[in-house]
Amino acid sequence: MTTERFCDPGDGRSFMVGTSRVSVKVEDGEPAAAFSLIEWLIPPGAPAPPRHIHREGSETFYVLEGTLWFPMASSTVKAAAGSCLHIPPGTAHTLTNEGDAPARALELFVPGRLMGLVEGVGQLLSGGTPPDRDRLVALFAAHASEIVG
């Protein structure tokens, strides 16, 4: 049974991915969840995820504040506040905040299980040192994703 969900400002489960804060706005505990929605707060110079692809899911970013850079397969998209970027399955990408101010963005995962990858990366980074590459590769593989380049 589906129920409505409402989040007041500041609501939602939060966790860190390196120096970036993720606030979960909509999630469904089922592995086949249709989508998940999170809010990122990414400080300048925050560690970027490795360039990667998702084989079975897409990501859509809507930048609320600041600017994010999305190095893609053949170019870099510079997305200022109000910009929206959809990344379909199989598209190599990463994201960075190369500016001098924090950036805030919403990210929509379809299907929702891709959010588990972000949370897993956060857990691997929680020790404050770069994660073991083999563990990172295995984590991406477990979410039908692959580190490329």
Side-chain angles (χ1 to χ4, degrees):
M1 177 183 220
T2 304
T3 61
E4 66 278 351
R5 291 178 170 89
F6 175 79
C7 282
D8 275 315
D11 282 356
R13 179 174 66 85
S14 294
F15 58 91
M16 299 299 290
V17 178
T19 58
S20 299
R21 175 168 296 286
V22 172
S23 298
V24 180
K25 299 303 179 183
V26 178
E27 68 180 322
D28 189 335
E30 297 296 320
F35 72 94
S36 292
L37 180 67
I38 63 175
E39 180 181 353
W40 282 95
L41 179 58
I42 303 172
R51 187 181 306 258
H52 59 280
I53 60 171
H54 304 294
R55 302 231 180 262
E56 300 175 359
S58 67
E59 296 174 273
T60 301
F61 290 86
Y62 182 82
V63 180
L64 299 166
E65 296 174 3
T67 302
L68 290 172
W69 285 256
F70 294 87
M72 308 297 280
S74 61
S75 65
T76 297
V77 174
K78 182 179 177 183
S83 299
C84 184
L85 174 64
H86 175 73
I87 304 170
T91 304
H93 67 283
T94 187
L95 71 138
T96 65
N97 179 353
E98 298 175 15
D100 56 5
R104 197 167 58 92
L106 292 175
E107 181 177 13
L108 177 69
F109 296 103
V110 177
R113 69 178 176 267
L114 283 175
M115 189 185 76
L117 175 58
V118 174
E119 195 161 7
V121 170
Q123 291 168 355
L124 288 178
L125 292 174
S126 66
T129 60
D132 175 77
R133 179 151 174 94
D134 291 338
R135 290 181 67 195
L136 195 58
V137 167
L139 175 65
F140 272 76
H143 291 86
S145 301
E146 177 184 351
I147 297 172
V148 295

